[in-house]
Amino acid sequence: MSVTGEFQRAPSTPRLSPRLAEIVAALPLEPHLRVLEIGCGPGAAARAVAERLTTGHILAIDRSRTAIDQLISSSGDLIASGRLSARCVTIEDFVVGEGEEPFDLVFAIRVGALDGRHPEAGRIALERIAAATRPDARLFVDGGAPLRELGIPR
């Protein structure tokens, strides 16, 4: 309770870990961008990105149904605003939905298909990313300071 006896409103999203906060801060976000997060887990970074968008949108994808359900259950306001959506799918199986615009910015944190741990999955993932993005889109993965940019094969 505050000094006046009123309950203070909780923040709309939980605080990010320092590592995720550094990663989100390093992304070249602009309020109008269409962003794709690969391997979003329960959605902490996706919510932080969505809060920085005004006319843009972030689609968060993950292979785990449990993670997507957690993201959806903790992101109602951002989903209702149209700035955030989620889909249970691997990047190797991802395709842009009918009527969806291509993405301007893609990022992935600890995704084996994009960090070199699974080269064949990485080749397929890059093909899917290329098909889902605008020609001038950018792709960032963890492993830099804090991110590194990968080229999107065209």
Side-chain angles (χ1 to χ4, degrees), residues 84-122:
L84 172 64
S85 61
R87 193 177 305 161
C88 185
V89 64
T90 66
I91 187 57
E92 298 92 339
D93 294 325
F94 178 75
V95 293
V96 175
E98 188 173 327
E100 270 186 319
E101 294 292 320
F103 295 92
D104 304 295
L105 179 68
V106 180
F107 74 101
I109 303 164
R110 294 185 179 161
V111 174
L114 294 170
D115 66 11
R117 288 181 284 162
H118 305 286
E120 180 59 22

Side-chain angles (χ1 to χ4, degrees), residues 20-107:
L20 282 182
E22 183 180 30
I23 287 169
V24 170
L27 290 170
L29 293 171
E30 296 179 33
H32 65 279
L33 292 179
R34 288 191 42 80
V35 180
L36 174 64
E37 182 184 4
I38 300 165
C40 63
R47 284 188 295 277
V49 168
E51 288 177 346
R52 290 162 174 79
L53 302 175
T54 54
T55 58
H57 180 83
I58 179 168
L59 171 60
I61 66 170
D62 199 285
R63 67 178 59 240
S64 165
R65 169 51 58 196
T66 300
I68 293 299
D69 289 345
Q70 289 172 342
L71 181 151
I72 291 168
S73 70
S74 62
S75 307
D77 290 347
L78 292 168
I79 292 170
S81 76
R83 291 182 287 161
L84 172 64
S85 61
R87 193 177 305 161
C88 185
V89 64
T90 66
I91 187 57
E92 298 92 339
D93 294 325
F94 178 75
V95 293
V96 175
E98 188 173 327
E100 270 186 319
E101 294 292 320
F103 295 92
D104 304 295
L105 179 68
V106 180
F107 74 101

Side-chain angles (χ1 to χ4, degrees), residues 122-147:
R123 183 189 62 72
I124 296 167
L126 288 172
E127 289 173 2
R128 297 297 182 149
I129 292 167
T133 55
R134 297 185 191 284
D136 59 346
R138 298 175 73 187
L139 168 61
F140 294 90
V141 298
D142 58 336
L147 295 170

